[in-house]
Amino acid sequence: MVATAATSAFFSVISPSASSDSKNKKLGSGSTNLGDIKSKLSASSRSLQVKANAQAPPKINGTAVTAPVEGFKKEDVVISPPPRTFINQLPDWSMLLAAITTIFLAAEKQWMMLDWKPRRSDMLIDPFGIGRIVQDGLVFRQNFSIRSYEIGADRTASIETLMNHLQETAINHCRGAGLLGDGFGVTPEMCKKNLIWVVTRMQVVVDRYPTWGDIVQVDTWVSASGKNGMRRDWLVSDSKTGEILTRASSVWVMMNKLTRRLSKIPEEVRGEIEPYFMNSDPVVAEDSRKLVKLDDSVAEYVHKGLTSAPLPILETHELSSMTLEYRRECGRDSVLQSLTAVSDYGAGNLENFGEIECQHLLRLEEGPEILRGRTQWRPKYAKSFGNAGQIPAESA
């Protein structure tokens, strides 16, 4: 139907009666029939030209002509569609270019989101993807998931796991701030002067141990401690509820790694680290009680190695706090002895009923002391409350 209508607009349609009459004509009258056809074609051509001229003016070399051109008659100009070539079959280049530009801009935006280009000082993303620096670039924050191999029989994280989290965030803080030189937490100026950090005192308070599958958030920051020291604090919380789980505070000084002697903080190093110091109080109140020096006559338990708490205490109690004071370094092949004295810390105190306190000392087998410490232990389960006030006797 559409084809028929389009054809009828260009050519005259011969009626059926005319067709039947023409069949009765003789071949000798063919010239007459051709003349009729020519006259009809001429008439249709003139009607086509009128329609084309009404729709659009003729063009010569791409320029519209408003007046007849000499040598041409207006009736002789016939408009025909442009020939189909490779060029006019190509897509719209402007649309294709716009699509390519959009894809390029989207890819560049995605790359900028992945690239480490901080836009705000309070939300610096470290380039290693293991944490972030918050609060005006002074606090480092990192999350940890409690794995199955980091828990004990009661499905809670061990104290070793928590201490590993503290160490890991401290090192990552230095690396994220761009202060990591050749060594753990050693700045470039410290490397030049053969200086390293050593911890002299540490306090840890555990309010609750996370369980298997929990995600803990560890925040850490540094502050000045006296003229030649640095304090590092940690705050461990439940990432979902915000509940505080563990608080820890430590004091660090510098030591020359060649002479093994303590050193003052050089001004070059101070200039590197002071911009990252936070003016804040320790998260753990300092335990000012003196740490006693144990010997064989006072200690109730003497073990070879790092075992510092009797097994019966470990079975019924969990560590709630500890204070450690480092006196001397020891080597990888050093043989140590652990001395422990136990006291009934909660006796006569309903608030701390059932708690146990231990005094500790680590020493080299030859005699020099390495560390003094104090630990406090609370009952693990409520069912142990009935006999928690009694110190468990060590089994034979």
Side-chain angles (χ1 to χ4, degrees):
M1 296 291 291
V2 177
T4 304
T7 305
S8 62
F10 292 92
F11 299 100
S12 301
V13 180
I14 303 176
S15 61
S17 58
S19 176
S20 59
D21 292 339
S22 63
K23 290 180 181 180
N24 298 328
K25 301 279 185 177
K26 295 181 180 181
L27 292 175
S29 58
S31 60
T32 304
N33 295 335
L34 290 175
D36 295 339
I37 293 175
K38 289 181 180 180
S39 61
K40 292 180 180 180
L41 288 175
S42 176
S44 63
S45 300
R46 285 192 298 272
S47 63
L48 174 62
Q49 294 170 10
V50 172
K51 291 181 180 179
N53 293 335
Q55 293 176 358
K59 295 182 180 180
I60 295 179
N61 294 332
T63 305
V65 180
T66 57
V69 181
E70 185 178 356
F72 291 93
K73 293 183 179 181
K74 196 171 184 178
E75 292 80 1
D76 296 333
V77 178
V78 179
I79 304 300
S80 59
R84 296 178 61 85
T85 63
F86 173 76
I87 298 299
N88 59 25
Q89 295 185 52
L90 291 176
D92 191 341
W93 290 106
S94 61
M95 296 181 62
L96 183 59
L97 182 60
I100 295 175
T101 303
T102 302
I103 296 174
F104 176 78
L105 292 176
E108 184 181 23
K109 182 178 180 181
Q110 186 69 18
W111 175 254
M112 292 179 64
M113 292 175 63
L114 295 176
D115 194 12
W116 184 56
K117 293 182 178 180
R119 296 295 184 266
R120 292 165 43 195
S121 59
D122 61 338
M123 287 294 289
L124 298 181
I125 304 301
D126 79 293
F128 303 93
I130 53 178
R132 58 180 181 174
I133 300 179
V134 297
Q135 295 187 19
D136 298 327
L138 299 178
V139 177
F140 181 80
R141 176 173 297 169
Q142 185 173 356
N143 289 354
F144 295 92
S145 177
I146 304 303
R147 311 294 183 181
S148 60
Y149 52 82
E150 297 174 327
I151 62 175
D154 54 357
R155 296 190 178 185
T156 60
S158 62
I159 187 62
E160 291 84 1
T161 296
L162 299 182
M163 298 300 289
N164 288 337
H165 292 168
L166 303 187
Q167 176 177 302
E168 186 71 10
T169 51
I171 300 302
N172 291 338
H173 183 195
C174 296
R175 181 164 60 177
L179 295 178
L180 188 64
D182 185 17
F184 285 158
V186 179
T187 67
E189 286 296 330
M190 292 176 63
C191 291
K192 296 178 182 178
K193 301 180 183 299
N194 296 316
L195 297 175
I196 59 175
W197 288 110
V198 292
V199 59
T200 61
R201 186 179 178 90
M202 189 165 192
Q203 287 184 257
V204 180
V205 176
V206 182
D207 298 323
R208 182 177 70 82
Y209 286 86
T211 59
W212 178 31
D214 287 348
I215 298 178
V216 296
Q217 175 182 291
V218 183
D219 290 355
T220 183
W221 60 93
V222 291
S223 306
S225 177
K227 294 182 179 180
N228 291 293
M230 180 184 71
R231 190 186 77 244
R232 176 173 288 278
D233 292 329
W234 292 271
L235 199 62
V236 183
S237 60
D238 189 302
S239 64
K240 294 182 179 180
T241 65
E243 176 190 1
I244 302 300
L245 304 178
T246 303
R247 293 164 290 144
S249 183
S250 60
V251 177
W252 300 71
V253 295
M254 288 190 177
M255 184 177 74
N256 189 297
K257 66 179 181 180
L258 300 180
T259 64
R260 316 311 290 182
R261 292 180 177 273
L262 298 182
S263 170
K264 294 182 179 180
I265 300 179
E267 291 300 322
E268 296 83 357
V269 177
R270 193 181 301 275
E272 289 179 317
I273 62 178
E274 276 192 347
Y276 299 93
F277 282 177
M278 176 179 271
N279 187 15
S280 63
D281 297 327
V283 295
V284 180
E286 183 179 357
D287 189 351
S288 59
R289 293 179 296 166
K290 184 178 179 180
L291 296 173
V292 299
K293 181 179 179 180
L294 298 180
D295 55 26
D296 295 324
S297 62
V298 179
E300 302 174 47
Y301 303 92
V302 178
H303 297 282
K304 186 176 182 178
L306 294 176
T307 302
S308 59
L311 182 59
I313 294 180
L314 297 176
E315 291 177 344
T316 58
H317 289 66
E318 63 183 10
L319 182 67
S320 59
S321 67
M322 65 178 177
T323 301
L324 305 177
E325 191 176 277
Y326 297 87
R327 297 301 184 93
R328 182 181 281 104
E329 64 175 334
C330 60
R332 180 180 57 184
D333 299 327
S334 300
V335 180
L336 302 180
Q337 283 185 331
S338 172
L339 287 72
T340 304
V342 182
S343 62
D344 193 358
Y345 177 69
N349 189 343
L350 293 178
E351 183 180 357
N352 299 321
F353 184 75
E355 293 191 0
I356 297 174
E357 183 176 276
C358 297
Q359 303 291 335
H360 305 277
L361 185 139
L362 287 178
R363 68 186 182 188
L364 294 175
E365 194 174 31
E366 296 81 10
E369 62 176 331
I370 301 298
L371 174 144
R372 295 180 188 181
R374 180 189 302 113
T375 59
Q376 293 179 352
W377 305 77
R378 58 174 173 250
K380 281 186 177 180
Y381 311 107
K383 64 182 180 180
S384 303
F385 187 81
N387 59 354
Q390 302 177 358
I391 301 175
E394 185 178 17
S395 60

